[in-house]
């Protein structure tokens, strides 16, 4: 397993970049503009982590800017932790066998979401290309919010 990023939602990209980059000292290592999803992802890294973040896409702070205005209350601006695993199906099965609810099952062989006992959302990503779809995951519905 490898730590990837922590995601926070931001309302003002310029103000956030000033805070995290100019004042806090982080550096932008990549940016994704998603027209279809109407959001921008900006990945930042601490100066000592920049080479690793550029090469391995981790460790990073992910700033998510949703183009449509939304008020984030009750901690909704904090998004999730993210980890990549060698085999998403085996990893999710281990969690399920130990009583963890898979809120967003890995139907696509690539991504799943679970919640910690404290309600923190955790994204689990397949380390390699997506695995072929397989049961019981392929037909498993989402359970609750993720």
């Amino acid at each position: 397993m490898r730590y990837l990023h922590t995601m926070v939602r931001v309302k003002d990209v310029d103000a956030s970049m000033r805070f995290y980059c100019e004042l806090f000292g982080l550096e932008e290592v990549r940016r994704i503009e998603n027209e279809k999803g109407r959001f921008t992802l900006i990945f930042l890294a601490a100066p000592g982590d920049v080479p690793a973040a550029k090469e391995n896409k981790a460790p990073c702070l992910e700033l998510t800017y949703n183009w449509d205005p939304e008020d984030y209350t009750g901690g909704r601006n904090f998004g999730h932790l993210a980890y990549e695993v060698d085999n998403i199906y085996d990893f999710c099965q281990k969690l399920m066998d130990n009583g963890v609810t898979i809120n967003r099952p890995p139907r696509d062989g690539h991504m799943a979401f679970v919640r910690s006992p404290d309600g923190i959302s955790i994204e689990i990503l397949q380390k390699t290309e997506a695995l072929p779809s397989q049961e019981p995951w392929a037909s498993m519905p989402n359970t609750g919010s993720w």
Side-chain angles (χ1 to χ4, degrees), residues 66-77:
N66 292 311
W67 300 354
D68 299 317
E70 181 179 343
D71 283 328
Y72 303 117
T73 58
R76 179 92 174 98
N77 59 321

Side-chain angles (χ1 to χ4, degrees), residues 27 45-52:
E27 297 178 32
D49 291 326
V50 168

Side-chain angles (χ1 to χ4, degrees), residues 2 4 83-92 106 108-112 123-132:
R2 183 172 68 101
L4 295 178
Y83 292 90
E84 69 178 10
V85 297
D86 290 329
N87 186 304
I88 196 164
Y89 296 132
D90 291 347
F91 193 84
C92 287
D108 56 6
H110 174 69
M111 178 178 63
E123 179 180 21
I124 303 162
L125 294 168
Q126 175 60 36
K127 186 175 186 175
T128 59
E129 293 295 319
L131 299 178

Side-chain angles (χ1 to χ4, degrees), residues 2-145:
R2 183 172 68 101
Y3 172 78
L4 295 178
H5 63 260
T6 297
M7 183 273 270
V8 293
R9 290 179 178 86
V10 300
K11 287 185 174 187
D12 182 328
V13 171
D14 292 334
S16 295
M17 292 299 285
R18 181 178 182 278
F19 174 79
Y20 287 108
C21 295
E22 292 178 31
L23 303 178
F24 213 71
L26 301 181
E27 297 178 32
E28 182 175 338
V29 293
R30 70 188 156 106
R31 183 180 291 231
I32 299 168
E33 303 278 346
N34 188 308
E35 293 276 339
K36 184 177 178 182
R38 300 189 46 73
F39 62 85
T40 301
L41 305 179
I42 304 167
F43 293 87
L44 307 176
D49 291 326
V50 168
K54 286 183 176 180
E55 183 177 335
N56 303 314
K57 298 183 180 179
C60 291
L61 171 63
E62 173 190 322
L63 303 182
T64 297
Y65 173 70
N66 292 311
W67 300 354
D68 299 317
E70 181 179 343
D71 283 328
Y72 303 117
T73 58
R76 179 92 174 98
N77 59 321
F78 174 80
H80 59 264
L81 302 176
Y83 292 90
E84 69 178 10
V85 297
D86 290 329
N87 186 304
I88 196 164
Y89 296 132
D90 291 347
F91 193 84
C92 287
Q93 188 63 56
K94 174 185 169 188
L95 294 175
M96 237 172 63
D97 290 348
N98 284 278
V100 175
T101 299
I102 310 298
N103 300 99
R104 193 278 191 194
R107 290 183 296 274
D108 56 6
H110 174 69
M111 178 178 63
F113 275 88
V114 299
R115 288 196 175 270
S116 76
D118 295 306
I120 301 298
S121 183
I122 302 172
E123 179 180 21
I124 303 162
L125 294 168
Q126 175 60 36
K127 186 175 186 175
T128 59
E129 293 295 319
L131 299 178
S133 182
Q134 71 181 48
E135 295 298 338
W137 310 106
S139 58
M140 192 178 286
N142 291 343
T143 56
S145 64

